[in-house]
Amino acid sequence: GVLGSTRGTALLPVMEACANGTLHAEIVAVVSNRSAAPILDKGRSLGVTVTTKFVSSKGLSREQYDAECTAVLAGAGVEYVLLVGYMRILSRQFTDYWAGRCINVHPSLLPKHAGGMDLAVHQAVIDAKEAESGCTIHEVTEEVDGGPIVIQKVVKVDPDDTAESLKAKVQALEGPAFVEAIQKKCKTSVSYADAGVSIDAGNDLVEMIKPACKSTRRAGCDADLGGFGGLFDLAAAGYDASDTIIIGATDGVGTKLRVAHATRKHESVGIDLVAMCVNDLIVAGGEPLFFLDYFATGKLDVDEAAAVVRGIAEGCRQAGCGLIGGETAEMPSMYAPGDYDLAGFSVGAVGRTKVLPSGVAPGDVLLGLPSSGVHSNGFSLVRKLVEKANLDYGSACPWDESAGTIGDSLLTPTKIYVKCCLPLLRKEVLTGLSHITGGGLLENLPRSLPPGVKAEVTGHPPLPSVFAWMKRISGLDDREMLRTFNCGVGMVLIVKRGSVEEAKRLLREAGEEVIYDLGELVDRQGDEEQVEMKAGLS
C-alpha cells in the first residue's frame, strides 16, 4: 500500500518491478491526502482492482485521519506501507499499528539532516560542504526520521551542484532503493506475526488475566483458564438438573467503547459488558452462573486488553458469576489501530416453576431502581450531543462538577442489579422484572406484560442531571427521551400489592436506599399503548 501527497516519482520503479516479477509483491492501494495529487493517477493506471482513494482530513484529528487511512489500507489487504512523498506527520497509533511494516524515503544520509524536507535538505548538504549525499529508506516510527535504517544509497556531491541538481541525482536513487528494501522484506515463508498476529502477545495476556479470572470463583466453577472450554457443575451450585431451566444472554457495550478508546480508560467497559448480560438474566428469574467474553482487535495491546478483562472480572464478582473463559481475536484487516470490540455471553439457571414473568396482572405495583447514569445504550446520540455542544471527553463535565470530565462521567459503569434482586426472587415476591436498556421504559416494560395489561406510570423520578442536560441540548420531548434512555430508572420490579412492603424491605437489606414508586398495572383497552405516562419528566 502507498501513502503519497505529490507526484510519486519514486513509485514508478516499484510499479515496474511488481509488473516484471522482480518483486514478489503487488500494489493493492494508493491513498493520498490531496485530491489532485498525481500519485493517484499512478494508482488508477494499475487498474480497477487497486484501491485508489483520496481521504479528506477536514474536521478530523491526526489520530482520526490516520485511522481512516489505516481502515482503507487494511481493507484492501495491505501488508506493507510505502510513504512516497507523504507530507503529513503520522500519529503514534498509526506507527504502532504498522510497526515494522511501514517505510519512508528521506533525501539524505540519515541521521544527518533528519527532519528537513525537499530542497532545504539538499541545500543543507551543500552548505555543509559534504562530499556525498544520498537517500535513506527507514522504518517509520513516532520519531520523525528516527526509525531503523533499512537501506542507504550514496551519490557524490559535485562542487558545482545546486540544491536542484543534487535533488535530481538523489531522487533517481529513491525508486530503486524502495525496490531493494521491499526485496529484503519479501520472504519465501510468512509467519503469523508477519500477518500482524502475535501469538506471544496472546499468551502474555492469558497469563496476565489469570489472577483476575481466578478471583471470580464460585460454587460450580473454579474459573481456571487454558482449557478448550469452561466447565460448570450445576449440582455443586445447588441446582437439580431435572428441575432447572438454563437461561442464556448475550450483549455488547455498543459505541460507549468509543469513549473508552478516546479517553484510554478501559476497565469500566468490562463491567458494562457483564451488566448488560446478567441484568437480562435476572429478568427471567434466574441466577447468573458463569460468563464468557469475546475481545476483538486489530492489534493486541496486552495492557489495554488486560484492563478490559479486569473490569469484566469485577463485573462478575458483583454479579456472583464465574468468568470461565473467553476469546481474544487479533484481526489486522478488520479493525483500525487502537480499536477493539467486545461481546459478552452469560448463562444462568432458574427453577422450572420460577421462570418470570409469571402471574403478572392488573393491580400489581411497579417499583423502580435507580440507574447509575446513561448505562450502555444511546451512546451514538450521546456522542453526537457532546459534539453539538462543542465539547469533548476531556472537557469539564457540565452536568456534574464532581465528576471531573465528560469522559469520566459517561464511563460510569452500568449498575448490576443481581445481588439486590436475588433475595426477592428467592422469596418469590416478584411477578416480573424489566431491564431498561435500548428503547427505554416505553419499549422495555411491555416485554414483561401480558397483552391485556398496561402500565400506568404516575411517579417517574426527576431526571438526573446527565439526562436533563441531554434533553436540553437535543431538544427531545419526553416521549423520545423515554424511548432512547433509561432516564434514571435502570430496573423495574413488578410486585403483587400485598408484597410491596416486603419487597422494599428486602431491597433495603440488600443496600438499595432509593426505591421509586412508579405506578401500577391496569386493564388494557383494545390496542392502546402498554405504557401510559401520567407523570412528565422534570
Side-chain angles (χ1 to χ4, degrees):
V2 179
L3 288 177
S5 304
T6 55
R7 292 188 300 275
T9 304
L11 185 59
L12 291 172
V14 179
M15 294 167 61
E16 182 179 349
C18 289
N20 64 26
T22 301
L23 284 178
H24 298 293
E26 61 177 326
I27 298 170
V28 296
V30 178
V31 177
S32 180
N33 61 316
R34 296 178 178 174
S35 60
I39 197 169
L40 292 175
D41 294 330
K42 293 177 174 62
R44 295 184 189 102
S45 72
L46 294 171
V48 295
T49 60
V50 175
T51 299
T52 302
K53 188 169 184 177
F54 156 64
V55 177
S56 173
S57 60
K58 185 176 180 180
L60 300 180
S61 67
R62 180 183 300 174
E63 290 76 12
Q64 290 170 330
Y65 181 79
D66 286 352
E68 290 287 331
C69 290
T70 290
V72 174
L73 295 170
V78 169
E79 297 175 335
Y80 202 60
V81 178
L82 312 183
L83 304 186
V84 183
Y86 191 53
M87 313 297 283
R88 284 182 61 91
I89 302 298
L90 295 165
S91 65
R92 177 183 175 184
Q93 288 90 329
F94 185 96
T95 57
D96 284 354
Y97 183 84
W98 293 103
R101 300 184 295 141
C102 180
I103 56 176
N104 179 50
V105 62
H106 185 78
S108 76
L109 298 176
L110 292 175
K112 293 181 179 180
H113 310 296
M117 295 180 67
D118 201 31
L119 289 175
V121 174
H122 303 299
Q123 188 60 54
V125 170
I126 293 170
D127 292 343
K129 295 182 169 39
E130 293 174 11
E132 59 184 19
S133 185
C135 66
T136 301
I137 304 290
H138 64 92
E139 292 185 7
V140 175
T141 63
E142 188 179 13
E143 181 185 355
V144 176
D145 297 333
I149 292 172
V150 180
I151 283 173
Q152 289 188 316
K153 295 283 189 179
V154 179
V155 66
K156 181 183 177 183
V157 180
D158 294 320
D160 58 348
D161 266 328
T162 63
E164 288 79 5
S165 65
L166 183 56
K167 175 182 176 178
K169 290 196 288 188
V170 170
Q171 199 169 56
L173 301 176
E174 292 178 355
F178 266 129
V179 172
E180 192 173 332
I182 298 168
Q183 284 174 326
K184 290 183 67 173
K185 188 69 178 178
C186 291
K187 300 186 297 184
T188 56
S189 63
V190 181
S191 70
Y192 214 2
D194 292 328
V197 179
S198 173
I199 296 173
D200 291 337
N203 292 336
D204 290 344
L205 175 62
V206 171
E207 292 304 313
M208 189 177 290
I209 64 178
K210 277 184 177 180
C213 296
K214 200 74 173 176
S215 71
T216 69
R217 286 178 296 182
R218 54 151 294 159
C221 72
D222 59 12
D224 275 334
L225 299 184
F228 287 95
L231 304 179
F232 193 93
D233 186 340
L234 273 177
Y239 289 91
D240 177 359
S242 65
D243 192 40
T244 298
I245 300 292
I246 295 296
I247 314 164
T250 184
D251 211 332
V253 183
T255 57
K256 188 173 186 176
L257 290 178
R258 284 294 182 199
V259 184
H261 295 162
T263 60
R264 298 186 180 181
K265 297 178 179 179
H266 304 284
E267 289 204 17
S268 63
V269 292
I271 301 174
D272 287 310
L273 186 67
V274 177
M276 296 305 291
C277 296
V278 298
N279 287 343
D280 283 352
L281 284 184
I282 60 168
V283 168
E287 174 192 9
L289 300 178
F290 62 85
F291 191 86
L292 303 102
D293 70 274
Y294 176 80
F295 180 99
T297 185
K299 183 175 177 61
L300 181 60
D301 182 318
V302 174
D303 291 333
E304 183 178 274
V308 173
V309 176
R310 285 195 297 271
I312 293 171
E314 171 59 25
C316 287
R317 288 192 292 271
Q318 291 182 25
C321 63
L323 179 55
I324 66 171
E327 166 69 4
T328 302
E330 190 173 19
M331 300 183 285
S333 63
M334 292 291 288
Y335 295 92
D339 281 359
Y340 62 82
D341 198 8
L342 299 175
F345 312 88
S346 187
V347 171
V350 59
R352 192 172 298 276
T353 61
K354 298 181 180 180
V355 177
L356 296 183
S358 177
V360 174
D364 288 356
V365 173
L366 302 173
L367 301 179
L369 297 179
S371 66
S372 57
V374 185
H375 284 184
S376 300
N377 297 103
F379 268 83
S380 294
L381 176 56
V382 171
R383 294 184 300 112
K384 191 71 175 176
L385 296 179
V386 171
E387 180 183 333
K388 180 181 178 182
N390 293 318
L391 299 170
D392 58 40
Y393 303 124
S395 302
C397 184
W399 57 81
D400 183 358
E401 292 181 0
S402 66
T405 67
I406 288 177
D408 291 336
S409 178
L410 292 179
L411 286 174
T412 301
T414 303
K415 183 174 179 178
I416 293 176
Y417 297 94
V418 173
K419 290 187 176 178
C420 66
C421 288
L422 275 179
L424 285 76
L425 294 173
R426 289 170 179 149
K427 291 288 187 178
E428 299 184 43
V429 300
L430 300 177
T431 58
L433 287 159
S434 182
H435 183 203
I436 308 306
T437 58
L441 186 69
L442 300 185
E443 301 287 341
N444 285 287
L445 186 51
R447 298 165 67 183
S448 298
L449 303 180
V453 174
K454 78 170 185 178
E456 286 188 348
V457 178
T458 56
H460 197 283
L463 279 178
S465 57
V466 61
F467 297 110
W469 181 85
M470 288 192 289
K471 188 175 191 293
R472 178 173 60 84
I473 298 299
S474 68
L476 293 178
D477 59 22
D478 285 4
R479 177 176 174 77
E480 283 305 307
M481 286 292 295
L482 287 163
R483 290 182 69 238
T484 307
F485 301 113
N486 66 63
C487 292
V489 179
M491 183 69 74
V492 176
L493 292 69
I494 307 174
V495 188
K496 290 297 182 188
R497 189 171 297 278
S499 301
V500 170
E501 291 309 312
E502 182 182 9
K504 289 183 176 180
R505 176 181 62 80
L506 291 170
L507 287 169
R508 291 190 182 102
E509 289 176 355
E512 291 298 319
E513 298 178 358
V514 178
I515 304 165
Y516 301 128
D517 293 303
L518 293 179
E520 64 177 347
L521 301 184
V522 299
D523 287 313
R524 182 188 184 199
Q525 305 300 319
D527 60 354
E528 64 181 342
E529 293 188 5
Q530 280 196 282
V531 179
E532 181 181 357
M533 295 297 300
K534 292 195 168 184
L537 299 179
S538 58

